[in-house]
Amino acid sequence: MKKIEAIIRKTKFEEVKEALLAANIEWFSFYEVRGIGKSRQGRIYRGVVYDTSSIERILISIVVRDKNTEKTVQAIIQSAQTGEIGDGRIFIIPIEDAIRIRTGERGDIALYNAEQEQ
């Protein structure tokens, strides 16, 4: 099992969500986060200078079976990519175990229903 964490532009979230659903990745968490990037410039809006060094992004967190890792990553890349600086990052982290609290099932089966083969 792998945990995939992707930091993406807020404007790309709906496209990424649809791409994940189309790839049969139906369960994930997401969070609004702020980060510091390379860009260190102020933006002027109505005469007021705003610091844009702190960037708003969405962090998507997904745990998938090993066989679903690459299709999940590709869905994120294809839907989040603009080709400009600031598209984000994807991190893949090994997961040792997963446990479904309700039934006590462990491993891959804890991620999906037994009758639902993905």
Side-chain angles (χ1 to χ4, degrees):
M1 290 176 289
K2 302 284 190 249
K3 180 177 187 180
I4 299 171
E5 289 190 344
I7 300 170
I8 62 167
R9 296 174 184 268
K10 288 180 84 170
T11 57
K12 288 295 200 169
F13 176 69
E14 288 300 320
E15 290 176 51
V16 171
K17 180 177 77 171
E18 293 303 319
L20 290 170
L21 293 173
N24 291 323
I25 305 302
E26 298 172 340
W27 186 92
F28 57 89
S29 300
F30 66 95
Y31 314 91
E32 290 190 16
V33 296
R34 297 181 70 82
I36 303 296
K38 288 184 179 180
S39 179
R40 301 276 192 273
Q41 65 184 36
R43 297 252 168 113
I44 299 175
Y45 179 71
R46 294 188 177 186
V48 178
V49 177
Y50 292 92
D51 178 17
T52 60
S53 62
S54 178
I55 305 165
E56 292 184 353
R57 295 287 187 251
I58 297 288
L59 170 67
I60 299 173
S61 179
I62 313 164
V63 178
V64 297
R65 294 176 177 179
D66 288 335
K67 68 181 184 177
N68 292 333
T69 302
E70 191 56 32
K71 79 173 183 178
T72 304
V73 168
Q74 288 306 312
I76 295 168
I77 290 171
Q78 291 169 6
S79 57
Q81 189 175 59
T82 68
E84 298 176 8
I85 292 173
D87 277 350
R89 300 278 191 277
I90 298 173
F91 305 99
I92 302 172
I93 307 154
I95 296 293
E96 187 173 317
D97 201 0
I99 303 162
R100 184 177 302 191
I101 294 172
R102 178 176 52 89
T103 62
E105 295 168 309
R106 297 182 81 113
D108 283 356
I109 196 66
L111 300 178
Y112 303 98
N113 293 331
E115 63 274 357
Q116 182 183 27
E117 184 57 34
Q118 291 189 3

